[in-house]
Amino acid sequence: MAFKLVLACPRHPKYDPRKGLDAIVGGCPNCFALVDLALDVERVKRKMEQRMFTSLKDLERHEQKQAEKVLETARRVVRKVREGEELELDEQRLLNSI
Ligand SMILES: [Zn+2]
């Protein structure tokens, strides 16, 4: 679900907090509060993005580790088959899945 929250000063409904403090007319406290709020919203957004980015990186690392594990087992299987050694259960399973 997505929703949009529109905040505006009742006295200056056209004031956009992205214009910054210099664009505030007559030191209006509502408009000042809007700028603060907009900055908070930006901070929260950035934090959420960072968190998403971090978990994506974690996932990538996890997948890479899994792939390395499979590759390592595969190498061991190849060597063991070549040398006529007996395979462990997980190695047999890997061989069967190929
Ligand atoms: Zn205002």
Side-chain angles (χ1 to χ4, degrees), residues 9-12 15 24-25 28-32:
C9 171
R11 277 193 280 165
H12 313 96
Y15 174 69
I24 293 175
V25 179
C28 174
N30 294 330
C31 289
F32 272 108

Side-chain angles (χ1 to χ4, degrees), residues 22-95:
D22 291 341
I24 293 175
V25 179
C28 174
N30 294 330
C31 289
F32 272 108
L34 270 181
V35 173
D36 271 348
L37 205 57
L39 287 176
D40 279 345
V41 168
E42 281 309 308
R43 262 194 291 273
V44 169
K45 271 191 197 167
R46 261 204 305 276
K47 268 212 174 110
M48 283 167 72
E49 276 166 16
Q50 274 169 358
R51 217 164 281 167
M52 247 152 60
F53 181 73
T54 308
S55 48
L56 266 180
K57 282 272 162 201
D58 284 346
L59 187 68
E60 255 173 41
R61 262 196 292 272
H62 177 72
E63 280 176 351
Q64 203 176 337
K65 260 191 194 150
Q66 290 297 106
E68 278 167 13
K69 243 188 213 166
V70 171
L71 199 64
E72 199 181 290
T73 311
R75 285 202 186 105
R76 205 167 51 234
V77 167
V78 168
R79 184 181 55 76
K80 282 188 169 181
V81 167
R82 210 180 269 157
E83 293 171 8
E85 275 180 51
E86 211 161 294
L87 297 178
E88 313 245 342
L89 201 65
D90 65 320
E91 295 169 341
Q92 274 173 25
R93 219 177 285 141
L94 182 82
L95 195 63

